[in-house]
Amino acid sequence: MRHFLLNEEKQMRVHIRLFKFLILFLILSGSISLRAQEEPKGAFIMTVTGKVDLENLGSILPHEHVTTDFLGAEIAPQPRYSRDVAITAILPHLKNLKKIGYSLFFECTPNYIGRDVKLLKALSELSGLKIVTNTGYYAAVNKKFLPKHAYTESSETLAERWEKEWQEGIEGTGIRPGFIKLGVGKGPLDAIEEKLLNAAILLHKKSGLQMAMHTGDGEAALSEYQIIMKAGVDAENMIWVHAQNGKDEERLALAKKGVWISLDGVSSEKIDSYINMIRILKENQLLSRLLISHDNGWSVEDENGTINLIPFDRGKNVPYQTIHEVLLPRLQKLGFTKVEIDLITTENPIKAYSLKP
Ligand SMILES: [Zn+2]
């Protein structure tokens, strides 16, 4: 009997030892993590506070701004405002977004027009709203926002600069961009615009980062699409930002190819024209290509020697509110279902911007 018990005890000890080994092996192999906060294993969105997975995201705004400085590239050290003043002005609006069900916000101000990732991170931590920033350059408005090196460097070198931001973070902050943002004017792309798009394509191929392009008109959008096709990149990787500047037939043609149609600048004054554009996409079964945003934000203005932050439309609309308060109720009245509203406000932005592991 005693002999039997001893054997059983020995067996038990062997089992415990094996179990300990198994746990150690799982920890070392990475199957079990000791960290409380695990990074997402599947598709994700890269925010200024790190990767977030795609589960349980609420409504999303795919094209907004916080602060934008229209002074021009490489003229004055940035930012020209005090971050505390900016936080006081902007934080209540982000907290309100969180309260009405928004979880995530794409901040589309590129480098050299006032991108301020430290401010974005502070605002994100204080409001609980996730914010995504970008890499890339903006060539619209007569190249006013391009640094000198954008003229002299090759698309490969420019892509390397942006890739460094993606790999290591922006300007030593460790904050990584979640998409590529470009800006082009009207008509077919000129040589510089095409070079910047080629740089974006190079980085897209390496990183999967989506290409969102502020685009002057439908002709410019078609030109971007053709360059992307020639490079062998799928149309779903192109986001036509400010597609409201094009015509219905141009939007439908590119949406049918798979391009994302981003109608930004929703405001109460122009609400009927936005409803019309959305209705036409719906009639053509293309709601699955639609993104909507306000394109709101604050402009950094020097007013008699004082730097002030002025809302883009000088306060005509409360920033970031019109879609929730005016547009969506109008769409519901027109018979848009909850499924269609969720598609526009949540599913489409996730599909447009999510990254594969
Ligand atoms: Zn914008």
Side-chain angles (χ1 to χ4, degrees):
M1 183 71 174
R2 181 164 163 73
H3 182 69
F4 175 70
L5 262 180
L6 268 177
N7 263 348
E8 204 174 42
E9 245 174 49
K10 213 182 275 172
Q11 259 182 350
M12 188 71 118
R13 254 181 250 137
V14 171
H15 279 153
I16 288 171
R17 209 173 294 157
L18 274 174
F19 183 68
K20 280 182 182 166
F21 261 113
L22 180 70
I23 291 287
L24 190 67
F25 171 73
L26 286 173
I27 289 171
L28 289 175
S29 68
S31 304
I32 292 182
S33 172
L34 294 176
R35 282 172 301 165
Q37 270 241 311
E38 262 209 73
E39 288 224 319
K41 293 268 190 293
F44 64 94
I45 290 174
M46 179 63 82
T47 75
V48 294
T49 47
K51 293 178 185 177
V52 290
D53 67 34
L54 311 180
E55 297 301 311
N56 305 317
L57 288 176
S59 299
I60 296 169
L61 288 170
H63 186 104
E64 304 294 341
H65 299 269
V66 168
T67 53
T68 304
D69 192 335
F70 296 109
L71 184 68
E74 300 173 313
I75 293 174
Q78 295 286 328
R80 291 192 288 158
Y81 49 81
S82 126
R83 285 203 178 95
D84 287 344
V85 170
I87 286 170
T88 307
I90 297 159
L91 182 60
H93 297 283
L94 299 186
K95 279 186 173 169
N96 193 46
L97 273 181
K98 189 87 172 91
K99 209 160 67 188
I100 61 176
Y102 282 92
S103 61
L104 198 81
F105 179 116
F106 286 80
E107 213 281 348
C108 295
T109 309
N111 198 4
Y112 299 103
I113 321 184
R115 180 185 67 173
D116 183 355
V117 298
K118 282 184 188 161
L119 176 65
L120 298 184
K121 191 174 183 206
L123 284 169
S124 176
E125 284 167 350
L126 290 166
S127 65
L129 188 82
K130 302 283 182 197
I131 300 179
V132 183
T133 187
N134 64 85
T135 189
Y137 294 160
Y138 183 94
V141 199
N142 299 321
K143 318 282 186 293
K144 186 182 170 187
F145 304 107
L146 285 185
K148 287 177 198 76
H149 65 249
Y151 291 91
T152 53
E153 290 180 0
S154 65
S155 45
E156 288 78 10
T157 312
L158 291 164
E160 276 165 26
R161 281 181 186 267
W162 302 343
E163 191 187 357
K164 196 163 179 259
E165 294 197 329
W166 165 244
Q167 296 288 357
E168 298 167 24
I170 294 164
E171 291 149 13
T173 59
I175 297 168
R176 297 170 68 190
F179 64 106
I180 305 164
K181 172 78 191 291
L182 301 180
V184 308
K186 292 182 179 179
L189 267 52
D190 66 24
I192 297 254
E193 289 171 339
E194 190 167 345
K195 181 173 77 174
L196 293 168
L197 178 49
N198 282 323
I201 290 168
L202 287 172
L203 177 56
H204 166 77
K205 284 181 174 172
K206 280 190 172 174
S207 63
L209 288 171
Q210 291 287 78
M211 296 176 283
M213 291 173 281
H214 165 117
T215 304
D217 63 5
E219 219 185 332
L222 181 63
S223 178
E224 290 166 339
Y225 169 76
Q226 286 164 342
I227 293 165
I228 283 172
M229 287 299 104
K230 222 167 91 186
V233 173
D234 289 342
E236 297 89 72
N237 302 300
M238 166 178 166
I239 298 160
W240 175 6
V241 171
H242 307 334
Q244 74 271 14
N245 296 336
K247 300 185 188 93
D248 283 318
E249 57 269 28
E250 293 166 334
R251 282 188 286 276
L252 293 176
L254 286 187
K256 277 178 195 156
K257 303 281 188 196
V259 171
W260 291 100
I261 303 299
S262 190
L263 301 178
D264 319 299
V266 172
S267 68
S268 12
E269 305 85 73
K270 295 185 201 149
I271 207 78
D272 289 332
S273 76
Y274 281 86
I275 287 173
N276 221 25
M277 290 185 271
I278 294 168
R279 204 177 40 75
I280 289 169
L281 285 167
K282 182 180 167 172
E283 284 166 8
N284 286 275
Q285 286 81 48
L286 289 167
L287 275 190
S288 61
R289 296 286 97 200
L290 171 66
L291 302 169
I292 50 168
S293 257
H294 305 92
D295 198 13
N296 280 160
W298 282 259
S299 164
V300 182
E301 303 281 349
D302 184 340
E303 295 179 318
N304 304 318
T306 309
I307 298 296
N308 291 322
L309 293 174
I310 311 291
F312 282 178
D313 64 355
R314 300 221 158 235
K316 273 188 252 157
N317 292 266
V318 179
Y320 320 132
Q321 289 295 301
T322 314
I323 289 175
H324 179 78
E325 284 182 359
V326 188
L327 181 69
L328 297 183
R330 287 276 304 270
L331 291 179
Q332 275 160 340
K333 261 192 201 154
L334 287 168
F336 279 65
T337 62
K338 189 182 178 306
V339 171
E340 287 167 333
I341 300 279
D342 287 348
L343 183 74
I344 302 169
T345 56
T346 307
E347 277 178 54
N348 285 352
I350 290 176
K351 269 195 204 138
Y353 282 102
S354 58
L355 299 164
K356 295 191 179 67

